[in-house]
Amino acid sequence: MKRSYREALRGALRAALAGDPRVFMMGEDIGRYGGTYAVTKGLLDEFGAERIRDTPLSELGFVGAGIGAALGGMRPIVEIMTVNFSLLALDQIVNTAALYHHMSGGQFSVPLVIRVATGAGRQVAAQHSHSFENWYAHIPGIKVLAPATVEDARGMLAAALADPDPVVMFEHVQLYNLEDECPDLVEVDIVSAKVRRPGSQLSLITYGGSLPKTLVAAERLATLGIDAEVIDLRVLRPLDAPTVLASVRKCRRAVVIDECWRSGSLAAEIVALIVENAFYDLDAPPARVCSEEVPIPYAKHLEDAVLPQPEKIVDAALSLFGEPPP
Amino acid sequence: MITAPPSGPVPFDDALARGLLADMLRVRRLEEKAAELYGAGKIRGFLHLYIGEEAVAAGAMRALSAEDNVVATYREHGHALLRGMAMRSIMAEMFGKVEGCSRGHGGSMHLFDARIRLFGGNAIVGGGLPLAVGLALAERMQDSPRVTACFFGEGAIAEGAFHEAMNLAGLWRLPVLFCCENNLYAMGTALSRSEAQTDLCLKAASYGVSTLRADGQDVVAVHQTTRAALERLRNEGVPVFVEYQTYRYRAHSMFDPELYRDKSEVEAWKSRGPLHTYSARLKAEGRLSEAEFLALDSQVGDEVEDAVAYAESGTWESFDDLMRAVHTASPAA
Ligand SMILES: Cc1ncc(C[n+]2csc(CCOP(=O)(O)OP(=O)(O)O)c2C)c(N)n1
């Protein structure tokens, strides 16, 4: 059945709520408003205000409450409207959720799922367009997911809820309307990266909102005679290094595409991983396509210029083959 | 609570009385045009309209002096315009043109202008409050008489930033005018679904901040209350919190399907509309004729058209300048 990424997420939430009385949701405008990105639309009517719990504007407060509820035996799913506002909750996520298990000598676990909309591309300017997946992926104690396909949107939540530790799930705002075939029930893991397009001459490694752009670039490269493989990282912490390295060793060239700013980006981590482990398998230095190091501007032409785009990916790829491309 | 529409004589001289009308009308027509241009795809991203709330910015801005500081939210077209920003600059910013007040980097939510001491345009709910406290502290430490007016919605009161800012301002007795625009909804969340204690003045008072309340649909009450608040602030040396009770007639932003409130509620509030009730009062007193109102409206219409033409003919920032505003240029460079 064809469905949207948004519907797939909603289906996953509905199944989780129906299947486990410990599961409930908290967040700003998830109920009466219908969800900022309409993901939770209809769930209030179906499950009631106790379990689809609208919160005041208190990111620090309700994320903290989610941690407490998780410690107290519930399976909360907390929605932080966007990653931009997650900064107000960062203290609770970093200093409490991520550390509790360790600090308590393994006595306490925090089975909390945090869903966060992320990313740019909607002309909503600098304060509303951040990508901080790399910040979260830096922190031991949490798992970080980036569903980039309708199938993962449907399947990842259940795996996240089954995990005993805090899981942060990033949903790129440009993906909500993405449509694809997807069965009613999906089982996926939250440990592996996946090959989304097999290829033999170049590894394009990406995640989240950059996956569709990377697939477009791969098709364009095919017309230029370059057979690119596209790897979707899916899980940003812990990284599935073997899948990345296997692809790079096979293709011998790699471009990493990441909407975070280049300095200290997740792409930097991937490149380090490649250089540390597959240096002698490379025919060219790895390249990165990231966002330009400037706050995300409002004007469309500027925003487009700042973000990774298929053309930039193609150019970066061609540069690895020298001129002209084979 | 919906009470009777504002009425009664307008106790201001003609310049102020008409000025307030013109202020509200300019904001209204600017935003109606912005909504239209959003539909046409000229303006993109988030657009938060202030329609229905114009009396607050109009009445409050005319109580402030040109030297004072203003901090606003993402619903700030009215504040920027009435603080003195040219309509052209606002429109160009919404178009994303380099002629805009923020060079097209900010758009609707991030209108900044140092010359009029407008410190943005903050799109993080509650984000402006600690900043306002810091501005006021700086003024105090520099023996400046400036007041810092900080506008925010009632939704911000649930944020920690509000409480921390109020506490600091109260503790240090800083000259901050906290202007709470209580339009009853934070996106789709009604105040009563957000706060156990919905008496906002009571909350503010607990931080040692002086409080006042005004009918935010009544520009006369807004102006008088704001003047009284500033007097109190200057005489007693305490921060003042003013709750302006108002209502937003349009959707929260252009993405809001408005599932959370009844049309009838919106209609009831429209009967208390700040513009038509005020112009009716001036007319009843014989201080404004229909012809004069129409002349004013057409003058404002011309200003809006001029702003649109200016924005249309504006230029896109060159990619060569893309990195320019990331760091302050060193004087040597
Ligand atoms: C910290 C933070 N959380 C959430 C949001 C998303 N958001 C934008 S406006 C808004 C409602 C705020 O309501 P209120 O403060 O009453 O102001 P109003 O929009 O009614 O003028 C929300 C939840 C945000 N911008 N910042």
Side-chain angles (χ1 to χ4, degrees):
Chain A
M1 194 187 130
K2 222 177 174 83
R3 68 182 88 216
S4 70
Y5 183 92
R6 171 185 290 109
E7 287 160 353
L9 286 167
R10 191 185 301 140
L13 291 167
R14 182 179 286 128
L17 286 156
D20 185 345
R22 297 173 306 170
V23 173
F24 72 101
M25 292 194 66
M26 279 196 280
E28 292 163 4
D29 281 307
I30 61 171
R32 283 284 281 277
Y33 187 84
T36 304
Y37 296 97
V39 171
T40 52
K41 197 167 176 183
L43 296 184
L44 174 66
D45 288 341
E46 206 172 328
F47 297 102
E50 282 286 304
R51 298 183 71 201
I52 305 298
R53 191 171 278 272
D54 276 325
T55 65
L57 284 158
S58 312
E59 290 80 6
L60 190 73
F62 68 75
V63 170
I67 295 171
L71 285 165
M74 300 297 284
R75 287 290 179 274
I77 303 170
V78 170
E79 174 175 312
I80 304 179
M81 199 178 272
T82 73
V83 68
N84 313 286
F85 319 138
S86 78
L87 303 194
L88 285 82
L90 213 45
D91 173 58
Q92 286 292 328
I93 299 171
V94 177
N95 278 324
T96 306
L99 307 186
Y100 235 66
H101 188 68
H102 177 81
M103 291 193 308
S104 68
Q107 295 181 73
F108 294 110
S109 295
V110 181
L112 171 68
V113 175
I114 302 177
R115 295 179 42 243
V116 192
T118 185
R122 285 161 33 101
Q123 280 195 270
V124 291
Q127 287 184 323
H128 278 76
S129 300
H130 289 301
S131 292
F132 288 139
E133 286 88 334
N134 56 332
W135 289 20
Y136 285 88
H138 180 64
I139 303 163
I142 58 178
K143 289 189 179 143
V144 181
L145 311 181
T149 63
V150 176
E151 182 189 59
D152 273 347
R154 179 64 185 83
M156 274 187 167
L157 182 76
L161 280 167
D163 197 286
D165 290 320
V167 176
V168 183
M169 194 163 119
F170 285 100
E171 302 162 7
H172 196 289
V173 294
Q174 296 287 43
L175 295 174
Y176 284 121
N177 291 329
L178 182 77
E179 290 201 351
D180 206 348
E181 289 298 327
C182 179
D184 265 339
L185 268 181
V186 176
E187 238 179 87
V188 302
D189 68 67
I190 51 168
V191 290
S192 64
K194 279 206 163 56
V195 177
R196 296 296 182 196
R197 181 191 194 282
S200 59
Q201 293 175 292
L202 168 70
S203 300
L204 297 175
I205 302 157
T206 191
Y207 67 91
S210 297
L211 178 64
K213 294 175 180 177
T214 303
L215 289 167
V216 169
E219 290 312 313
R220 245 175 252 170
L221 285 166
T223 66
L224 300 172
I226 296 175
D227 183 26
E229 176 152 289
V230 176
I231 305 288
D232 172 10
L233 291 172
R234 299 179 66 250
V235 183
L236 309 184
R237 180 175 196 99
L239 282 169
D240 174 9
T243 301
V244 172
L245 293 173
S247 175
V248 173
R249 289 194 176 114
K250 176 178 69 173
C251 299
R252 311 182 75 86
R253 288 178 169 85
V255 179
V256 187
I257 302 96
D258 178 3
E259 198 174 301
C260 293
W261 289 301
R262 177 185 301 261
S263 309
S265 59
L266 200 63
E269 181 62 28
I270 304 288
V271 168
L273 178 79
I274 293 170
V275 171
E276 283 168 346
N277 296 282
F279 185 78
Y280 296 108
D281 298 304
L282 291 172
D283 284 344
R288 283 183 284 166
V289 178
C290 301
S291 289
E292 303 297 332
E293 311 245 345
V294 55
I296 310 297
Y298 160 68
K300 181 165 171 45
H301 71 299
L302 297 178
E303 183 180 43
D304 287 346
V306 167
L307 301 177
Q309 302 293 357
E311 309 78 65
K312 293 190 191 179
I313 302 170
V314 169
D315 288 349
L318 292 178
S319 76
L320 300 190
F321 289 89
E323 291 291 317
Chain B
M1 197 182 51
I2 306 172
T3 53
S7 60
V10 175
F12 304 142
D13 64 30
D14 274 347
L16 178 57
R18 282 165 181 272
L20 289 167
L21 178 66
D23 287 353
M24 292 192 286
L25 200 57
R26 288 175 71 223
V27 177
R28 176 69 59 96
R29 297 293 184 241
L30 166 66
E31 290 204 318
E32 285 169 346
K33 182 54 93 178
E36 185 188 317
L37 292 166
Y38 196 94
K42 294 284 182 187
I43 297 173
R44 296 280 80 195
F46 283 128
L47 181 71
H48 303 91
L49 300 177
Y50 194 55
I51 289 176
E53 307 183 41
E54 296 93 337
V56 180
M61 288 300 170
R62 279 192 186 256
L64 292 169
S65 89
E67 274 302 295
D68 293 333
N69 301 319
V70 175
V71 178
T73 70
Y74 46 85
R75 197 182 297 287
E76 88 291 33
H77 310 139
H79 308 78
L81 183 71
L82 302 185
R83 186 62 187 160
M85 189 181 286
M87 201 183 276
R88 283 179 162 197
S89 245
I90 298 175
M91 194 61 89
E93 186 59 34
M94 294 200 278
F95 273 57
K97 299 289 179 77
V98 77
E99 288 78 5
C101 58
S102 311
R103 298 180 65 84
H105 294 185
S108 154
M109 302 188 288
H110 305 299
L111 304 176
F112 287 82
D113 194 339
R115 285 166 307 181
I116 53 172
R117 309 193 68 79
L118 175 64
F119 293 86
N122 198 311
I124 302 299
V125 171
L129 284 128
L131 188 130
V133 168
L135 278 169
L137 178 63
E139 302 298 358
R140 161 69 50 78
M141 292 173 78
Q142 296 170 89
D143 288 326
S144 134
R146 274 189 199 119
V147 167
T148 300
C150 179
F151 292 83
F152 54 96
E154 84 293 341
I157 286 178
E159 294 282 8
F162 170 82
H163 298 273
E164 294 175 28
M166 293 299 278
N167 186 47
L168 287 177
L171 187 68
W172 297 336
R173 298 172 73 89
L174 296 173
V176 186
L177 182 68
F178 291 101
C179 302
C180 178
E181 305 182 302
N182 178 6
N183 63 13
L184 297 176
Y185 291 90
M187 284 181 56
T189 302
L191 180 61
S192 58
R193 296 180 54 246
S194 176
E195 298 288 332
Q197 172 56 268
T198 56
D199 184 335
L200 304 181
C201 286
L202 199 57
K203 287 171 181 286
S206 79
Y207 292 105
V209 172
S210 185
T211 65
L212 285 166
R213 189 174 274 140
D215 179 353
Q217 306 294 96
D218 178 357
V219 74
V220 173
V222 169
H223 187 65
Q224 288 178 326
T225 306
T226 310
R227 283 226 300 242
L230 287 166
E231 212 157 288
R232 205 184 269 188
L233 191 151
R234 291 194 168 106
N235 292 342
E236 298 174 25
V238 286
V240 183
F241 171 96
V242 187
E243 176 191 351
Y244 303 100
Q245 298 182 321
T246 182
Y247 198 80
R248 143 170 82 65
Y249 294 165
R250 297 291 183 98
H252 165 74
S253 73
M254 307 312 264
F255 300 119
D256 168 14
E258 286 191 83
L259 305 172
Y260 48 83
R261 62 183 187 183
D262 276 347
K263 288 224 157 41
S264 61
E265 180 186 300
V266 182
E267 288 312 310
W269 274 94
K270 282 186 178 168
S271 71
R272 312 182 76 257
L275 258 166
H276 71 85
T277 56
Y278 184 65
S279 59
R281 286 161 78 179
L282 291 176
K283 283 178 188 166
E285 280 188 73
R287 298 172 72 182
L288 178 77
S289 69
E290 181 61 14
E292 283 169 319
F293 177 83
L294 292 175
L296 174 65
D297 201 16
S298 104
Q299 193 186 321
V300 171
D302 291 345
E303 186 186 7
V304 172
E305 286 315 318
D306 168 74
V308 174
Y310 179 79
E312 274 289 4
S313 67
T315 43
W316 302 111
E317 182 166 40
S318 150
F319 293 122
D320 300 339
D321 286 340
L322 185 58
M323 310 302 290
R324 220 181 67 160
V326 182
H327 294 286
T328 308
S330 67

